[in-house]
Amino acid sequence: GGLKSGQLSVSSRNLKISFDKQEIISFDQIFLIRMNHPTQELSQYRSIFPETVWQSNFPIAISFQRLEVYFPYKYNFALTLHKLTNILKFLKRTHFPISPDNTRFVVPPDLILNGEEIVIDLPDDWFEVKLRDQFELKSDEAMQKPKRWLLLNEKIREIKSQEGELGTSDKITSLQESLNKEDSMVYINRARSFYQKNPIRHWLLRIKLSKSSLTILADPSLQGTGNLFSWLTKLNPESPLPDGLEFSILWGRYTKGNVAKFELNLRDYSQPLLSIDGLQFQGPVLGAERRGGPYMV
């Protein structure tokens, strides 16, 4: 890390974020820089949205080689996210208080995200994973077993042709018993060494993004309850907001992003469920959560 002329930079080869002793997020080759001056590229992005008030803003840029997000099976990530959100809201109200009339506020910096690869994994039940692997192993063994018996029958015919029918029964019986034992040991040894030769295919669903970038612009036009209420009405004019509606969470940002390749896979099937090349998107994004009543849990 470093600090120079008000510009902060931090880098790490590997960064891991854990919740409740569960490793959820992992970065490889991450680099963060807080710039002390706006960039021309961000100013051009702002020109895409005519509603913006500021022509520029100070950005924070984050780039990384690889990002892995892993949601352990049956882990209640929603509860952890709820606790984290409450902590962030407490810190924001403590250190960045809003004026009583909700007209003076602190506009956060813009955010630039660039990543070579993003992988999001949702794992399957371990019992289901092993059950599926054992089924595949038995299916393959059912195909290999007749081949071994075919070789044995060829060996028996060869013995009979050399020694005749007499005096070969004991040898044939011995060969059959030996193959029966070998069949059992082959399956046992294959089952024991299965996970040594093959990686455990633990994930049920995998999302993979290649060469992705996301620019998030903060602006006074998306700050304050009045502005955000206007945007909610503009984005969904068919559903007018009731009078006296209050929100516990209300925020908005302008976004622009692109992804070179987006893939959605189920288990280890070779054919992706969804594949998109050259994905691009832009526009305002709003998040809102209605404040609960006194009897809501």
Side-chain angles (χ1 to χ4, degrees):
L3 181 63
K4 182 179 180 182
S5 302
Q7 180 169 290
L8 174 68
S9 63
V10 179
S11 62
S12 175
R13 290 184 179 179
N14 188 264
L15 173 64
K16 299 181 183 294
I17 302 176
S18 300
F19 299 107
D20 300 325
K21 298 181 181 180
Q22 300 279 355
E23 186 178 305
I24 306 296
I25 302 173
S26 176
F27 287 95
D28 289 340
Q29 302 293 339
I30 183 172
F31 182 78
L32 180 148
I33 180 170
R34 187 191 67 187
M35 303 179 185
N36 57 4
H37 58 83
T39 65
Q40 184 178 1
E41 183 180 10
L42 287 180
S43 299
Q44 293 176 351
Y45 285 169
R46 285 180 175 271
S47 64
I48 299 175
F49 307 103
E51 299 87 357
T52 54
V53 177
W54 288 358
Q55 295 182 354
S56 61
N57 188 15
F58 296 98
I60 293 177
I62 301 176
S63 62
F64 50 87
Q65 186 68 27
R66 180 179 173 87
L67 165 62
E68 292 186 17
V69 182
Y70 179 79
F71 297 100
Y73 180 68
K74 286 189 175 182
Y75 175 67
N76 191 351
F77 184 74
L79 179 61
T80 301
L81 184 62
H82 177 69
K83 294 179 179 179
L84 180 62
T85 302
N86 288 339
I87 293 174
L88 295 176
K89 288 165 64 177
F90 168 77
L91 294 175
K92 182 179 179 180
R93 291 183 179 181
T94 302
H95 299 285
F96 304 99
I98 301 176
S99 61
D101 58 359
N102 203 20
T103 57
R104 294 191 302 273
F105 37 76
V106 177
V107 177
D110 294 340
L111 187 60
I112 306 170
L113 300 173
N114 289 288
E116 286 294 317
E117 185 178 52
I118 300 175
V119 178
I120 303 173
D121 278 348
L122 276 71
D124 200 355
D125 184 359
W126 281 104
F127 177 77
E128 295 289 340
V129 171
K130 292 187 177 181
L131 188 65
R132 182 164 58 98
D133 290 339
Q134 290 299 321
F135 174 77
E136 292 184 5
L137 182 59
K138 283 190 174 182
S139 299
D140 183 68
E141 184 63 20
M143 297 177 61
Q144 298 297 328
K145 187 174 181 178
K147 296 180 181 180
R148 292 195 292 268
W149 280 97
L150 182 62
L151 292 176
L152 175 65
N153 291 331
E154 292 180 358
K155 182 68 175 178
I156 291 174
R157 284 196 296 270
E158 183 181 343
I159 293 174
K160 287 182 178 180
S161 63
Q162 293 177 356
E163 302 181 10
E165 295 290 338
L166 299 176
T168 60
S169 58
D170 293 340
K171 185 178 294 186
I172 292 174
T173 302
S174 176
L175 287 173
Q176 291 174 340
E177 291 177 353
S178 176
L179 184 57
N180 283 326
K181 292 181 181 179
E182 183 182 348
D183 280 337
S184 300
M185 291 305 300
V186 165
Y187 178 76
I188 293 173
N189 291 332
R190 289 187 66 185
R192 289 175 177 174
S193 62
F194 184 82
Y195 292 117
Q196 297 177 359
K197 298 180 180 179
N198 303 283
I200 299 178
R201 301 167 295 180
H202 62 275
W203 48 272
L204 173 65
L205 182 144
R206 169 171 287 185
I207 299 173
K208 186 175 180 180
L209 297 85
S210 302
K211 297 186 181 302
S212 56
S213 65
L214 176 64
T215 302
I216 303 174
L217 307 176
D219 191 79
S221 61
L222 282 176
Q223 298 285 122
T225 304
N227 290 334
L228 290 169
F229 265 54
S230 299
W231 267 105
L232 287 173
T233 305
K234 184 187 299 185
L235 294 177
N236 191 14
E238 290 79 11
S239 301
L241 299 175
D243 296 333
L245 186 62
E246 295 183 355
F247 292 95
S248 59
I249 296 176
L250 186 61
W251 56 268
R253 297 290 187 272
Y254 298 105
T255 61
K256 178 178 174 59
N258 60 79
V259 180
K261 189 174 185 61
F262 175 93
E263 283 189 349
L264 173 63
N265 287 83
L266 293 177
R267 291 196 169 99
D268 58 341
Y269 300 135
S270 58
Q271 179 69 31
L273 182 65
L274 176 65
S275 180
I276 303 176
D277 292 333
L279 174 63
Q280 297 184 2
F281 56 91
Q282 66 180 44
V285 175
L286 275 71
E289 180 182 275
R290 183 178 180 179
R291 187 182 301 278
Y295 301 106
M296 296 183 67
V297 178

